[in-house]
C-alpha cells in the first residue's frame, strides 16, 4: 500500500517528524490539530468553544487539500484538557461542523501542552472521476 503525505499550505509547520495528513487505501488520516491560527501560528483567544472552532477549520483545510469535506469524515478522535468542564462547549462548536449521519467519535480527557483541545480525523476520500468506488 502506498502512502502519500498531505501538507497544508500556509499552515503551522508540524512540531515534529510527522505530516499534516497521510492518504492511504482511499482514506485520509490527519495528525492531531490544535487551535493555532494558520496566519499567525498563535493559539486563538477564547475558551474551548473558540479553540474547537479553529481546530475544525484547520481540519477542513487538510480535507480540502485532498478533495474532501467534513461530510467525508468517518472517525473523529478528540482530546480535551478539561473533559468534565469543557465537554458541553466543545460539543456545541463540534455540532456546527458536522451533519447527520455523524462520524463515529471518541472524546477523552488528556494532558495537552497549553491548549484546550486537539482533534484528528479519518475521512474516506471521494472517488476520482472515472474510477469505481467500493463500499
Amino acid at each position: 500500500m502506498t502512502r502519500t503525505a498531505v501538507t497544508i499550505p500556509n499552515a503551522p509547520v508540524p512540531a515534529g517528524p510527522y505530516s499534516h495528513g497521510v492518504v492511504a487505501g482511499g482514506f485520509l488520516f490527519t495528525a492531531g490539530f490544535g487551535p493555532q491560527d494558520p496566519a499567525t501560528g498563535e493559539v486563538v483567544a477564547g475558551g474551548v468553544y473558540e479553540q474547537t472552532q479553529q481546530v475544525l477549520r484547520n481540519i477542513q483545510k487538510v480535507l480540502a487539500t485532498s478533495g474532501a469535506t467534513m461530510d467525508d469524515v468517518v472517525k473523529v478522535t478528540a482530546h480535551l484538557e478539561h473533559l468534565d468542564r469543557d465537554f458541553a462547549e466543545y460539543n456545541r462548536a463540534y455540532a456546527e461542523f458536522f451533519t447527520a449521519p455523524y462520524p463515529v467519535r471518541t472524546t477523552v480527557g488528556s494532558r495537552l501542552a497549553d491548549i484546550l483541545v486537539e482533534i484528528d480525523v479519518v475521512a474516506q476520500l471521494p472517488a476520482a472521476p472515472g474510477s469505481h468506488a467500493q463500499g
Side-chain angles (χ1 to χ4, degrees):
M1 173 174 33
T2 60
R3 295 181 308 167
T4 305
V6 175
T7 302
I8 307 170
N10 304 319
V13 176
Y18 62 89
S19 302
H20 288 132
V22 170
V23 173
F27 290 87
L28 169 64
F29 302 82
T30 73
F33 280 88
Q36 288 78 10
D37 180 331
T40 65
E42 300 295 321
V43 173
V44 296
V48 73
Y49 175 80
E50 292 82 8
Q51 287 194 15
T52 301
Q53 288 179 314
Q54 184 61 51
V55 169
L56 293 172
R57 284 192 293 269
N58 291 342
I59 289 171
Q60 284 178 317
K61 289 182 181 187
V62 73
L63 291 170
T65 300
S66 298
T69 70
M70 296 301 254
D71 290 337
D72 298 309
V73 173
V74 295
K75 171 75 171 115
V76 175
T77 303
H79 300 264
L80 297 178
E81 176 73 21
H82 306 287
L83 182 62
D84 291 339
R85 181 191 82 187
D86 289 344
F87 185 83
E89 285 298 291
Y90 146 77
N91 204 48
R92 184 169 71 95
Y94 179 95
E96 296 172 1
F97 287 81
F98 291 100
T99 58
Y102 300 105
V104 297
R105 178 175 82 179
T106 301
T107 304
V108 297
S110 296
R111 178 72 181 113
L112 300 173
D114 300 320
I115 60 174
L116 299 174
V117 59
E118 181 176 330
I119 300 173
D120 65 88
V121 304
V122 177
Q124 184 172 27
L125 297 177
S131 68
H132 299 287
Q134 296 180 355

